[in-house]
Amino acid sequence: MQLILLLTQQMCLYLVIVYLLSKTPLFKLFAETATRLPHKIYIYLIFSGFCIMATYFGEQTNDAIANTRAMGAVLGGLLGGPVTGFLVGLTGGLHRYSMGGFTDLACAISTTLEGLSVGIVGLYLRKINKSELVYTPLLVCLVTFSAEMLQMGVILAVAKPYADAVELVKQIALPMLLVNSIGAALFMSMVRDQKTMFDKLSSAFSTKALKIAERSVGVLSKGFDQESSTKVAQIIIEETNVGAVAITDKEKLLAFIGIGDDHHIPGTPISSQITQDAIEQNCVMFADGVETSYACSISAQCRLGSSLVIPLRCESEVIGTIKLYEPKNKLFLNINKTLGEGIARLMSNQILYGRYEQQQSLLTQSELKLLQAQVNPHFLFNALNTIAAIIGRDPLMARKLIQHLAQFLRINLKRTTGLVTLADELEHIDAYLTIEKARFIDRLSVTISIPESLHHYKLPAFTLQPIIENAVKHGTSHLLDPGEIEVTGRVQQESLVLAVTDNAGLYQTSTDKDQSGLGMSIVDKRIKNLFGNGYGVAVLCEQDSYTRITITLPLSTTAHSED
């Protein structure tokens, strides 16, 4: 009875150590399947240490040591597999052998066999897809009991003299069988509880994240604005049950749902310093209201008491924030902190995907329009008719027109939708205008006033030609008087500004994109997608007087390099 109490004290010491260990991140490794080498090494070190400690703290009995060493070997084998279990048992056995006594060899052999045999049991359970049984305290108790029975058999078979071995087994068998079995089961019970808690948290986290992802898919891909942000904020607050959810861009509040929505008004500028810091520093900011004070920047009566602000990133640029709040009477849960960061990544990816989809859609649309323009049937028909009319009276002129038509078609076929130099664009325009001026004879004059110093700047292909074609097709061709088109270029405030002006003044806003020829709106969208909303196409029209189309491009992005 006394030996049972002594071994129980030793077991309790281990369990206290295990309890303290359970408060560290390292304890999570016990709840994972040991498949990686660092994991196995960690298990080997921990349970080898238990074996050695158990031997040191064991109770001397008839020139032998009664101890709880078997717990380390058994648990090492179950959690780490046969190789790890063998090494744990071997280390514990060799240490026991170094302590001497008539059971030293028997204990060394039995401890090694315990680690190896139990490791094989654990491996077998994993192979038949029943690895969860490894964490069952009852199974661990039975396995440890069997391992200790094996140890008693080895002592009887190896220890000499046999009579002393029998006497020793009579004294230590029951205490060691009971204490080691119960201790291993209690240890695994703690591991199982931790594993269950981790699994529940992971399941809850995954379920919430998947629901949010499922409900919000496609919302932000249509645009990062007040309408889409409000929809996403409503989804998040329904799934997380936090006090409030807010979404901002870099300047203003786009959406606010929850406590405090009476004074946090969408569309108002960002007033919170913590939000501004998150945007400027591109990092997560957390004010729990305890260690880091939090106070609403708008209303002193606001019931919100803590805030988590996470930047929304599109590639490497911060484009806004998502903010989760809790009221003053509620703590901010760690799972909501982690979930908030996951939601921010999800939203950032959706916004990035939306921009990518928009660019792809516009690019495809532009390419289709431009492919149609490569062999514009109206232009080709008019050009051939013009050549046919001229060829009889002026064969040389007809030959030149055919050459210009061939050059125009060749440029169309060879040109990509990427960036070209302004000189290349002007060459394309010259081939087009030569044919058009021959068609209208003296009823069309074109003046191009762009300094040669600007010819090396780059711009998207098919930027000027569609605009000039619109000026002819929808402008000067409808005049009774001679049509005049002027093309100018200049540098203004770090921008390249090109302008196409006709003297028709017939421009009309229309929802029918065909009314803009190849699509002035497409040219505008292409430029905005490439360079930002600060650039693009602007129209100034004075009816029956003039129409001026201005194209603005950034100098820093037009890649001015000598070709």
Side-chain angles (χ1 to χ4, degrees), residues 403-465:
Q403 290 175 342
H404 281 289
L405 178 61
Q407 181 184 15
F408 178 84
L409 295 176
R410 176 179 58 80
I411 293 173
N412 269 21
L413 290 172
K414 288 178 61 179
R415 181 165 292 193
T416 67
T417 55
L419 296 178
V420 298
T421 63
L422 181 56
D424 290 337
E425 190 76 353
L426 291 175
E427 181 185 2
H428 192 211
I429 291 168
D430 182 67
Y432 169 78
L433 287 174
T434 300
I435 297 169
E436 290 292 72
K437 284 190 285 188
R439 175 186 164 202
F440 291 102
I441 311 177
D442 58 350
R443 292 181 51 243
L444 176 65
S445 66
V446 180
T447 304
I448 297 179
S449 304
I450 299 179
E452 285 190 8
S453 59
L454 303 181
H455 286 193
H456 59 276
Y457 283 104
K458 289 190 176 183
L459 69 166
F462 298 100
T463 294
L464 274 175
Q465 191 273 334

Side-chain angles (χ1 to χ4, degrees), residues 141-202:
C141 181
L142 294 176
V143 168
T144 308
F145 189 90
S146 301
E148 278 295 82
M149 289 292 291
L150 173 65
Q151 181 177 19
M152 297 303 134
V154 172
I155 291 175
L156 291 174
V158 176
K160 302 298 179 184
Y162 179 73
D164 292 347
V166 171
E167 185 62 29
L168 176 66
V169 168
K170 288 180 180 179
Q171 293 183 30
I172 68 171
L174 182 60
M176 290 183 63
L177 284 168
L178 289 176
V179 174
N180 278 288
S181 300
I182 294 173
L186 289 173
F187 179 97
M188 194 59 77
S189 178
M190 296 175 68
V191 173
R192 185 189 62 176
D193 291 344
Q194 289 287 324
K195 178 177 173 59
T196 301
M197 183 182 69
F198 295 148
D199 289 345
K200 285 183 178 179
L201 289 176
S202 298

Side-chain angles (χ1 to χ4, degrees), residues 25-173:
L26 294 175
F27 196 77
K28 293 180 182 178
L29 295 177
F30 292 138
E32 297 176 359
T33 303
T35 56
R36 296 170 296 168
L37 183 60
H39 188 176
K40 293 177 182 290
I41 292 174
Y42 171 74
I43 288 176
Y44 165 75
L45 293 174
I46 291 294
F47 291 109
S48 293
F50 278 1
C51 287
I52 293 171
M53 201 162 56
T55 302
Y56 271 130
F57 295 151
E59 182 68 19
Q60 289 287 338
T61 304
N62 295 341
D63 198 27
I65 304 175
N67 56 72
T68 55
R69 183 175 59 249
M71 284 177 56
V74 169
L75 293 169
L78 276 176
L79 295 174
V83 175
T84 306
F86 171 78
L87 293 175
V88 170
L90 181 62
T91 302
L94 290 176
H95 176 261
R96 170 62 188 88
Y97 183 77
S98 68
M99 302 287 287
F102 83 102
T103 61
D104 53 1
L105 180 59
C107 289
I109 294 172
S110 62
T111 306
T112 304
L113 288 176
E114 284 178 318
L116 176 61
S117 60
V118 175
I120 293 173
V121 172
L123 179 63
Y124 172 75
L125 292 174
R126 291 183 176 91
K127 283 197 171 182
I128 63 173
N129 295 321
K130 292 186 177 181
S131 57
E132 289 302 313
L133 292 177
V134 170
Y135 301 99
T136 305
L138 179 59
L139 177 69
V140 175
C141 181
L142 294 176
V143 168
T144 308
F145 189 90
S146 301
E148 278 295 82
M149 289 292 291
L150 173 65
Q151 181 177 19
M152 297 303 134
V154 172
I155 291 175
L156 291 174
V158 176
K160 302 298 179 184
Y162 179 73
D164 292 347
V166 171
E167 185 62 29
L168 176 66
V169 168
K170 288 180 180 179
Q171 293 183 30
I172 68 171

Side-chain angles (χ1 to χ4, degrees), residues 377-389:
H378 296 290
F379 171 75
L380 188 59
F381 177 79
N382 291 332
L384 292 175
N385 275 344
T386 301
I387 293 170

